[in-house]
Amino acid sequence: MITYKDRRAWLLRAIATEKFVDVLNTHFVDDYVNATGAKVIVMTWGANRCRLLSSDLMRMHNAGLLQKHRIGLGCNWQPGFPKWVNSYSLSGIGKDEIIYLEKTEA
């Protein structure tokens, strides 16, 4: 398992690439788990559950690095699935953090 600082850097880069992410995005969740070694609960339908990912996204939102948007699933809703999900994007502070990461790694 990698440190929060390294997970945060990975998430900032991933969100900068994707623009918007959420915990129901199968590819995003799987990429996070592969990159971090986080524990996952394998689901038979939809994205696997990773509590550490949810916790990291919330922590980054609380630190002002991410904006949070609630998205309704509308006609895509199925029994057993939530009716909405939080979607995250970089805030101005998060975008500044990306610039800082690039400068320190160069």
Side-chain angles (χ1 to χ4, degrees):
M1 175 82 66
I2 63 175
T3 66
Y4 170 70
K5 181 179 176 183
D6 292 333
R7 295 191 315 267
R8 183 183 69 202
W10 186 92
L11 282 165
L12 287 168
R13 288 186 191 94
I15 296 168
T17 301
E18 296 290 326
K19 305 298 181 219
F20 293 93
V21 299
D22 62 66
V23 296
L24 296 182
N25 179 328
T26 302
H27 299 293
F28 173 66
V29 173
D30 290 346
D31 288 348
Y32 174 85
V33 169
N34 290 334
T36 64
K39 292 182 182 179
V40 67
I41 300 170
V42 177
M43 306 301 289
T44 51
W45 296 99
N48 293 325
R49 266 193 209 144
C50 179
R51 292 177 193 234
L52 187 59
L53 172 58
S54 297
S55 174
D56 282 349
L57 291 170
M58 183 175 53
R59 187 173 175 182
M60 291 172 68
H61 171 260
N62 291 342
L65 296 169
L66 302 178
Q67 293 178 337
K68 181 167 63 172
H69 320 273
R70 183 176 281 186
I71 305 297
L73 299 181
C75 64
N76 293 326
W77 180 79
Q78 298 283 329
F81 286 86
K83 294 187 179 184
W84 59 268
V85 64
N86 287 321
S87 178
Y88 296 89
S89 62
L90 292 178
S91 68
I93 297 169
K95 291 175 184 175
D96 290 345
E97 185 73 13
I98 287 285
I99 293 168
Y100 174 76
L101 286 172
E102 290 172 355
K103 285 181 180 179
T104 58
E105 292 176 352

